[in-house]
Amino acid sequence: LISSEKHAKHLAYHDQLTGVPNRALLFARLPEILEGVGHDFPQLAVLCVDLDHFKEVNDTLGHDAGDELLRQLAESLRTAAATISGTLIARLGGDEFVLACPVCDRIEAEGLAARCIDIATRTIHRAHGQIELGCSIGVVLVDEPAADASAILRRADMALYRAKSEGRSRVAFFEPEMDEAFRTRRVIEDSLRDSLRRDAFNMVYQPQVDLHGRVPSVEALLRWTHPDLGEISPAMFIPLAEERGMIMAIGDFVLRRVFQETAHWRHLRVAVNVSAVQMRTAGFAAQVLRLAAQAGADPARYEIEVTETALLGDGPAIAENFEVLRSFGFSVVLDDFGTGYSSLSLLHRFRVDKIKIDRSFVSALGEDGEAGGAEVSALVGAIVKLARSFRLGVIAEGVETEEQRRQLVMSGCTEFQGYLTGRPMPAGDVAERYEPGANLRRLAQTA
């Protein structure tokens, strides 16, 4: 009976998958550990550790692989913190772990976080490519024994969010201004839902220019102006929409609005961004076709831009959506090419029409003293050659200087998008500049 009771208590307070303490034990033990701050040790470092790209592992390799990865991460964290006595490691939930470690100062906390990232970083090889794994870490240093455990974890989570937003596989320490950023994020989330109900977004279109200065196509870009916060970047609100389950509704708004605004154009092609969530949703392609038909838009004039992440996975919905869109005339552009995954296998597996060189490569071109500039230039050249070997189009995004454009031309790239060649503008301005007779046709259709 005693043994059974002990086992039941262990199960109640430990994560069954990884064997480390669970959320309940973390909140029970953290106040006890805090009592030693300033007496037994100078500071307590609380680290929130979150796996990067964990969802892709579950989606592409299955939940068994994800479970094994979580077990490995728990063991890696034990190894990283082995030299610090009194450390508590717990699984907060999902792929998020917490370390509560007595430390002397910030330098020791930085060293611990760096060890965690080094040990957790690895490459997973799979049939259709590889996934680069790592972890992001948010850290809060506590020097008050009376600090509230919930507030500490909330601040560590804020720091974790900052680490992920800055590029992942990073460490960020909590700073007081993050409290304000957190409140702003909550305001954005609440306003995002309200704006969805009111269709309070708008579309702009950025020209895509060829070597001769012609504009064969434009990219549709979503814009949102908050009544109090002003213009909010899609880089901020799109990930939030994905987290909170709003991306499908936003995606429908974008497709509906783009088809309505551009269906009467005859010369320009239009690129529309689609999220990985949309591509993995069964019936998504059918919804695209319905929206296009309602607006009278010709699918042959539209390009669906997807990231490499959107095409990763073995689920039937991805392949089915891809094939349906292609069969009805939509072209497919592979966006953010070469960032994070083995892209060659995707080109073999999916018949895309064009690849887009990511702005992170373009921004490194032509910068005096830029570390690795020659390597980036060589990489861009290799991407262009790879595309040509597959008979694919190539376009570079984020082109802002003449030197970047010159180096891209030398590498064989013939299409460019960025502030150097044209800023985003409303549909009416695009039609007036680049689509002869479009406004007259639209007036005639309305009449």
Side-chain angles (χ1 to χ4, degrees):
L1 183 61
I2 293 173
S3 176
S4 178
E5 183 180 352
K6 183 178 179 181
H7 180 63
K9 188 174 182 179
H10 183 274
L11 291 178
Y13 287 103
H14 289 78
D15 176 51
Q16 296 183 42
L17 177 64
T18 62
V20 301
N22 61 14
R23 185 186 189 94
L25 186 54
L26 171 66
F27 276 92
R29 289 281 312 280
L30 195 52
E32 298 174 4
I33 298 174
L34 284 167
E35 291 176 0
V37 174
H39 304 287
D40 302 327
F41 47 85
Q43 293 180 315
L44 183 71
V46 178
L47 287 69
C48 268
V49 182
D50 189 85
L51 276 171
D52 298 330
H53 307 300
F54 181 68
K55 187 177 186 303
E56 281 77 6
V57 173
N58 277 334
D59 289 344
T60 61
L61 300 181
H63 289 276
D64 288 344
D67 289 348
E68 178 58 29
L69 191 61
L70 292 174
R71 284 190 286 265
Q72 292 176 5
L73 177 59
E75 189 57 39
S76 296
L77 296 178
R78 288 191 188 98
T79 302
T83 59
I84 303 177
S85 62
T87 295
L88 173 65
I89 301 173
R91 183 183 176 195
L92 196 59
D95 61 330
E96 190 170 343
F97 290 77
V98 171
L99 282 75
C101 308
V103 295
C104 294
D105 50 28
R106 179 177 174 131
I107 294 176
E108 187 175 5
E110 289 174 344
L112 172 62
R115 287 198 302 275
C116 291
I117 288 181
D118 288 343
I119 293 175
T121 299
R122 68 192 67 189
T123 300
I124 292 183
H125 298 278
R126 53 189 295 275
H128 301 297
Q130 62 187 37
I131 301 176
E132 302 295 336
L133 285 173
C135 66
S136 299
I137 301 177
V139 186
V140 59
L141 291 173
V142 185
D143 55 12
E144 289 290 336
D148 179 68
S150 296
I152 291 170
L153 291 173
R154 182 173 62 85
R155 290 174 177 177
D157 204 52
M158 289 181 199
L160 173 63
Y161 181 80
R162 171 70 61 84
K164 283 184 170 292
S165 67
E166 290 179 349
R168 301 177 184 267
S169 293
R170 295 173 182 267
V171 179
F173 279 73
F174 173 79
E175 304 292 344
E177 63 268 18
M178 291 181 184
D179 265 327
E180 180 61 32
F182 176 77
R183 285 190 287 270
T184 300
R185 187 171 184 265
R186 290 299 301 269
V187 169
I188 290 174
E189 180 182 340
D190 293 340
S191 299
L192 195 56
R193 296 183 188 279
D194 182 60
S195 295
L196 265 174
R197 289 190 291 268
R198 296 186 294 104
D199 279 354
F201 298 94
N202 66 289
M203 302 303 302
V204 292
Y205 301 83
Q206 186 168 33
Q208 298 178 333
V209 181
D210 66 15
L211 274 174
H212 307 289
R214 296 186 293 252
V215 179
S217 55
V218 295
E219 180 183 1
L221 301 171
L222 181 64
R223 292 291 182 264
W224 179 36
T225 302
H226 189 277
D228 299 319
L229 302 175
E231 180 120 345
I232 300 176
S233 168
M236 175 180 289
F237 70 81
I238 290 297
L240 182 58
E242 290 180 335
E243 287 178 24
R244 301 307 184 191
M246 293 181 274
I247 192 62
M248 292 300 294
I250 289 179
D252 279 357
F253 168 86
V254 168
L255 289 164
R256 184 182 298 106
R257 181 63 60 86
V258 168
F259 290 146
Q260 290 172 348
E261 292 184 341
T262 66
H264 59 288
W265 295 356
R266 293 292 180 267
H267 302 283
L268 290 172
R269 296 178 62 79
V270 182
V272 187
N273 289 281
V274 167
S275 79
V277 176
Q278 290 172 287
M279 283 298 290
R280 291 172 182 157
T281 301
F284 167 67
Q287 173 68 358
V288 176
L289 293 173
R290 281 194 294 272
L291 293 174
Q294 289 170 4
D298 178 9
R301 286 188 36 258
Y302 293 87
E303 300 173 350
I304 301 295
E305 281 201 14
V306 296
T307 63
E308 297 174 85
T309 305
L311 299 183
L312 283 171
D314 300 316
I318 297 175
E320 181 180 348
N321 285 327
F322 186 92
E323 289 303 323
V324 170
L325 290 170
R326 287 293 309 274
S327 66
F328 278 85
F330 288 97
S331 300
V332 179
V333 178
L334 196 57
D335 198 5
D336 298 341
F337 188 81
T339 56
Y341 299 95
S342 178
S343 307
L344 183 59
S345 61
L346 291 179
L347 298 183
H348 277 294
R349 188 180 178 202
F350 295 98
R351 294 182 299 113
V352 301
D353 300 280
K354 184 188 292 185
I355 59 177
K356 177 175 277 190
I357 300 174
D358 188 68
R359 65 177 64 248
S360 61
F361 299 135
V362 175
S363 63
L365 296 174
E367 296 290 338
D368 293 336
E370 179 74 22
E375 289 82 356
V376 172
S377 181
L379 178 58
V380 169
I383 290 174
V384 173
K385 289 178 182 177
L386 176 64
R388 300 300 183 219
S389 69
F390 279 88
R391 295 182 173 84
L392 304 177
V394 186
I395 184 170
E397 67 176 351
V399 183
E400 298 183 353
T401 68
E402 284 291 352
E403 180 60 21
Q404 289 171 350
R405 184 180 183 279
R406 186 187 70 82
Q407 292 201 35
L408 287 165
V409 171
M410 290 177 61
S411 298
C413 185
T414 57
E415 287 189 58
F416 318 93
Q417 178 182 343
Y419 282 179
L420 177 69
T421 54
R423 290 179 175 269
M425 62 188 78
D429 293 350
V430 173
E432 185 176 337
R433 294 189 188 189
Y434 306 116
E435 184 67 26
N439 291 327
L440 292 176
R441 284 195 300 273
R442 187 165 196 174
L443 288 172
Q445 290 171 0
T446 303

